[in-house]
Amino acid sequence: MNSETVRSLGDVSETMLLTLYARAMESQSPNPILVDEKAVELFNRLKPLAAEQEGNLYHKVVEGDLPDLLKYTMSLRARHFDRQARDFLQRHPDGAVVNLGCGLDTRFFRLDDGRLHLYDLDLPDVIALKRQLVKETDRYQMIASSVLDFGWMDELVRERPYLFLAEGLFMYLPLADVKALVLELQDRFPGCELVCEVFNESWLHGWRGRIMKRKLQNDMSMGSDAMFQSGIADSEAMAQWRSGIEFVDDWSFVDADEPKLGVLRLMRHWSMFRKLQWVVHYRLNEPT
Ligand SMILES: C[S@@+](CC[C@H](N)C(=O)[O-])C[C@H]1O[C@@H](n2cnc3c(N)ncnc32)[C@H](O)[C@@H]1O
């Protein structure tokens, strides 16, 4: 593995280092929200390469100069997606999980029960790096493609029950692309389920948009291309896109009642905060 593999990452892809950092650090803290030894291993292997890179995000990750809240929220989010996947696999023991925009997430290792099938999909640069860090097997495969080049779907066996996960992905894509993707999944894999993180559209523009931009660029040191591009108004929004799309449930990190969140937990009673950035679960049935 060399420094060039890390240097070639784009602004959006670089953000996967923030979430890896969060899971690795939280795993080593007292009363961890999530225990992810593989994330700790990957983070320790990448740290020397990250230290050679230019850019604030790398420096902050290497020096651990990031808000504690990042560790908590990203770990709670990962734990929620894990729980959704376990629940799906209990209902569909022959099913498979597809992690869209997987970054350096190590969900396969957190969930593997000896029969799990999981696909990790991300842009070619990210998968090239990930392939140097973790091995594929017959039950764990990586797909190097944009999620928007639908040819990747040909690699999946049609008849299988699928759960598609999109954790920290949709907000970086234009809404028209997210919609085209969801409708394509519904067409190709009727009955599949989608658990996706979404952003609130009312925080994309105007003064709210400026606050978000400042938060992402200053607090998180994210690059200028790693800006949120899309959002929805409420959890039911995607269910309006076409018949057959069914809203199942939603979740926000404040629902977790996690003591590490302190007074922030009270925010679960304030809908505008609860649904600033949250996770929605849909079933994509055949259109009627
Ligand atoms: C914030 S990171 C989240 C990574 C991972 N899901 C996690 O929670 O740690 C966003 C990820 O989306 C990926 N991504 C962005 N645009 C993509 C696209 N068009 N196709 C596939 N992956 C994409 C990036 O490369 C990056 O790995």
Side-chain angles (χ1 to χ4, degrees):
M1 191 167 40
N2 61 41
S3 184
E4 188 47 44
T5 343
V6 177
R7 194 173 304 126
S8 64
L9 297 172
D11 284 353
V12 178
S13 298
E14 272 176 14
T15 61
M16 69 185 177
L17 294 170
L18 293 172
T19 51
L20 176 69
Y21 160 89
R23 290 187 295 270
M25 292 303 124
E26 181 58 23
S27 295
Q28 300 171 88
S29 71
N31 302 318
I33 291 166
L34 184 85
V35 176
D36 186 339
E37 281 159 19
K38 199 73 179 172
V40 176
E41 178 200 322
L42 261 52
F43 183 72
N44 289 337
R45 287 174 67 187
L46 280 171
K47 211 170 156 181
L49 292 186
E52 290 172 18
Q53 309 302 315
E54 284 172 15
N56 248 343
L57 184 142
Y58 291 104
H59 293 160
K60 289 213 168 191
V61 162
V62 170
E63 279 151 30
D65 180 19
L66 286 156
D68 281 346
L69 192 59
L70 178 79
K71 293 187 267 182
Y72 310 150
T73 54
M74 294 300 102
S75 300
L76 288 167
R77 181 180 85 173
R79 190 177 74 182
H80 176 71
F81 274 83
D82 287 356
R83 286 177 177 172
Q84 290 276 13
R86 278 199 198 95
D87 174 69
F88 174 84
L89 292 167
Q90 235 166 30
R91 289 184 281 115
H92 301 283
D94 55 338
V97 177
V98 187
N99 204 8
L100 304 173
C102 61
L104 294 169
D105 179 66
T106 42
R107 176 153 294 117
F108 178 80
F109 303 92
R110 294 198 300 273
L111 295 185
D112 189 25
D113 57 359
R115 50 176 310 195
L116 169 69
H117 277 87
L118 186 140
Y119 296 86
D120 260 348
L121 178 145
D122 209 301
L123 297 170
D125 283 351
V126 172
I127 295 299
L129 174 62
K130 200 165 188 176
R131 283 194 167 127
Q132 295 180 44
L133 293 163
V134 277
K135 277 206 173 64
E136 288 165 276
T137 66
D138 53 339
R139 294 187 294 107
Y140 173 49
Q141 275 140 36
M142 299 188 206
I143 304 175
S145 167
S146 166
V147 73
L148 303 175
D149 296 337
F150 300 150
W152 64 266
M153 296 181 192
D154 300 339
E155 295 191 33
L156 307 185
V157 182
R158 272 309 157 76
E159 293 72 31
R160 190 163 217 177
Y162 281 104
L163 170 66
F164 295 93
L165 303 178
E167 184 180 7
L169 172 67
F170 282 179
M171 57 286 283
Y172 295 106
L173 307 174
L175 192 63
D177 288 345
V178 174
K179 183 171 178 179
L181 170 66
V182 171
L183 299 187
E184 188 74 17
L185 291 175
Q186 185 190 18
D187 280 339
R188 295 232 206 169
F189 307 101
C192 73
E193 295 183 31
L194 169 69
V195 176
C196 54
E197 190 181 19
V198 291
F199 185 66
N200 196 308
E201 64 176 15
S202 68
W203 282 81
L204 282 173
H205 307 292
W207 63 270
R208 289 173 172 167
R210 285 193 290 279
I211 290 177
M212 280 311 296
K213 189 173 171 187
R214 210 175 311 136
K215 194 172 151 41
L216 297 180
Q217 291 188 343
N218 296 358
D219 296 0
M220 302 294 160
S221 298
M222 285 163 53
S224 53
D225 286 345
M227 285 299 109
F228 289 178
Q229 295 198 47
S230 68
I232 58 175
D234 209 342
S235 300
E236 282 80 10
M238 288 192 197
Q240 311 304 318
W241 286 352
R242 193 158 71 185
S243 67
I245 304 182
E246 185 191 335
F247 163 65
V248 181
D249 55 59
D250 61 21
W251 174 92
S252 163
F253 74 93
V254 283
D255 296 344
D257 205 18
E258 167 56 49
K260 290 184 179 181
L261 295 179
V263 290
L264 256 192
R265 278 179 292 176
L266 295 175
M267 294 297 199
R268 68 176 173 274
H269 302 298
W270 186 28
S271 168
M272 206 214 274
F273 186 87
R274 186 176 171 271
K275 288 185 179 167
L276 176 60
Q277 194 168 330
W278 75 110
V279 178
V280 195
H281 177 188
Y282 298 98
R283 189 169 295 114
L284 308 182
N285 302 308
E286 204 148 350
T288 49

